[in-house]
Amino acid sequence: MYLVIGSTGFIGRHLVKELAAKHPGQVRALVRPGKQTVLTGIPGVETVEGDVTDRASLDKAVSGVDTLFHFAAITGNIKNTNNIYWKVNVEGTRNIVAAAEKAGVRRIILGGGLGTVEGKEGSYMRTRWLMEEAARKSNLAWTILQPSILFGEGSEFFEAQARIMKILPVAALIGGGKARFQPVFVDDVVKAAILSAEREDKIGKTIELGGPEYYTYTELVNLILRAIHKKRLKLPLPLWVMSINATLFSVLPKPPFTPAMVELFSFDNVTPDPQIIEHEFGFKPASLKPYLAEHGIKA
Ligand SMILES: NC(=O)c1ccc[n+]([C@@H]2O[C@H](COP(=O)([O-])OP(=O)(O)OC[C@H]3O[C@@H](n4cnc5c(N)ncnc54)[C@H](OP(=O)(O)O)[C@@H]3O)[C@@H](O)[C@H]2O)c1
């Protein structure tokens, strides 16, 4: 039995679909109450209600599971209300690991993020690091995947920015637009996750994932504008300005920018090896530009 936690998320939805096609009747998806409908239309999946902050619900969900995919998190674009980064990313992952160990789950594949480091106490990055550490320190056979930004149907990185760029007369070049990214197709991350679960040589490894090209943030903004057929004045905004903006925006219930996002734009989000997926998993990942030319960006 396979269990997907974070099944209703961007990566999770694609993963459940692919896993269920490959192993019909052997896929269980943890969904938060009221979220079942997100997976409607995917046959061969059993859903179980639960929450990573509720240990009892996890004990039920992991029963009889051999391989667990953990792609649940509070991502940096969400406001840190009531210490939610810590509760979900750190305590939630510790709960998952404890429940899985107790139930005799063999394998865990965890979705982390490229460039995750220990970070400062109290930072978003620290919660991402401790989330990964919970898997590394477990008795489970673990693999951590650390993708750069993802593209594909439902990608918040591209779709949220496209929505903002449609409305605003200027496009902000966060951090001056110089940070580099290596966009990777969601289906390729899913493929890497499933292959990781199948391959013994991936046990105990933290694997970075990136697509075949590097882009600066400025180049990505240009690609998004082209995809939505808009021309905008580009305004370089240094990270310190963004940091002040993020603090000011934090009074809003759904801020367009958070302090966690400032953290994530403060380093290059690329792997040293541009062919990392081919070298690790033996397949060629998709390129961003042809994908955008064919599918555009929903905004
Ligand atoms: N997308 C990217 O470009 C990208 C890049 C690098 C790394 N990653 C990492 O990959 C992982 C998945 O990313 P994503 O883009 O798929 O995120 P996402 O779309 O925001 O999905 C997050 C998932 O976590 C679930 N979740 C949140 N709180 C929960 C809780 N208390 N209990 C149970 N489930 C909970 C959400 O459930 P609900 O639907 O109920 O909210 C959702 O299914 C994250 O760790 C992310 O940082 C993503």
Side-chain angles (χ1 to χ4, degrees):
M1 189 57 135
Y2 298 89
L3 173 66
V4 179
I5 300 183
S7 63
T8 51
F10 168 47
I11 300 177
R13 290 193 304 274
H14 289 265
L15 175 60
V16 167
K17 199 169 166 194
E18 195 58 34
L19 262 184
K22 219 171 168 189
H23 306 284
Q26 292 176 53
V27 180
R28 190 179 292 157
L30 183 94
V31 294
R32 291 204 280 181
K35 284 296 191 93
Q36 267 91 347
T37 50
V38 176
L39 302 178
T40 304
I42 309 179
V45 183
E46 166 195 332
T47 56
V48 52
E49 274 193 5
D51 192 297
V52 300
T53 59
D54 172 6
R55 172 65 198 273
S57 72
L58 293 172
D59 284 332
K60 258 171 74 182
V62 295
S63 167
V65 167
D66 174 80
T67 300
L68 187 160
F69 294 88
H70 173 23
F71 282 85
I74 299 298
T75 48
N77 54 317
I78 296 171
K79 182 176 165 176
N80 190 20
T81 311
N82 297 329
N83 216 10
I84 190 97
Y85 295 161
W86 181 267
K87 284 181 189 156
V88 172
N89 299 350
V90 183
E91 288 179 357
T93 304
R94 289 175 181 167
N95 284 340
I96 292 170
V97 165
E101 284 178 341
K102 187 167 162 236
V105 172
R106 190 180 57 87
R107 208 67 180 84
I108 185 169
I109 315 297
L110 182 140
L114 188 57
T116 298
V117 290
E118 209 164 333
K120 281 195 227 125
E121 180 112 23
S123 64
Y124 174 71
M125 185 59 89
R126 178 62 67 91
T127 72
R128 303 296 316 202
W129 170 258
L130 291 176
M131 177 176 170
E132 292 190 358
E133 284 290 279
R136 282 190 202 102
K137 289 181 176 155
S138 74
N139 298 325
L140 308 167
W142 58 268
T143 304
I144 295 168
L145 298 177
Q146 296 183 318
S148 183
I149 52 157
L150 270 71
F151 64 94
E153 183 270 314
S155 163
E156 186 65 14
F157 183 89
F158 287 92
E159 294 182 4
Q161 295 194 73
R163 281 194 298 273
I164 293 174
M165 286 177 203
K166 271 196 165 172
I167 301 167
L168 295 182
V170 291
L173 296 179
I174 300 163
K178 291 190 281 290
R180 290 187 311 150
F181 295 87
Q182 196 178 343
V184 54
F185 187 38
V186 61
D187 288 356
D188 291 332
V189 172
V190 162
K191 219 188 248 184
I194 295 174
L195 284 170
S196 296
E198 291 169 352
R199 287 177 49 173
E200 297 293 301
D201 64 316
K202 302 303 173 203
I203 294 174
K205 284 184 84 174
T206 300
I207 304 170
E208 299 181 328
L209 299 176
E213 298 105 17
Y214 301 142
Y215 295 93
T216 63
Y217 183 62
T218 303
E219 288 167 335
L220 290 178
V221 166
N222 288 333
L223 287 177
I224 296 171
L225 286 171
R226 194 177 311 152
I228 60 171
H229 311 292
K230 296 280 176 204
K231 286 200 160 98
R232 293 287 182 259
L233 203 68
K234 272 155 261 158
L235 181 66
L237 287 178
L239 278 181
W240 66 268
V241 175
M242 292 312 291
S243 186
I244 294 170
N245 285 348
T247 309
L248 295 174
F249 285 144
S250 62
V251 295
L252 301 172
K254 280 190 179 177
F257 205 78
T258 64
M261 286 165 77
V262 179
E263 283 183 55
L264 297 175
F265 269 86
S266 65
F267 59 90
D268 279 340
N269 211 262
V270 295
T271 70
D273 175 3
Q275 290 171 306
I276 186 84
I277 290 189
E278 220 173 327
H279 293 149
E280 283 284 349
F281 295 102
F283 70 91
K284 272 191 199 307
S287 290
L288 174 65
K289 278 185 189 168
Y291 175 87
L292 290 182
E294 192 179 339
H295 301 275
I297 302 175
K298 276 195 200 134

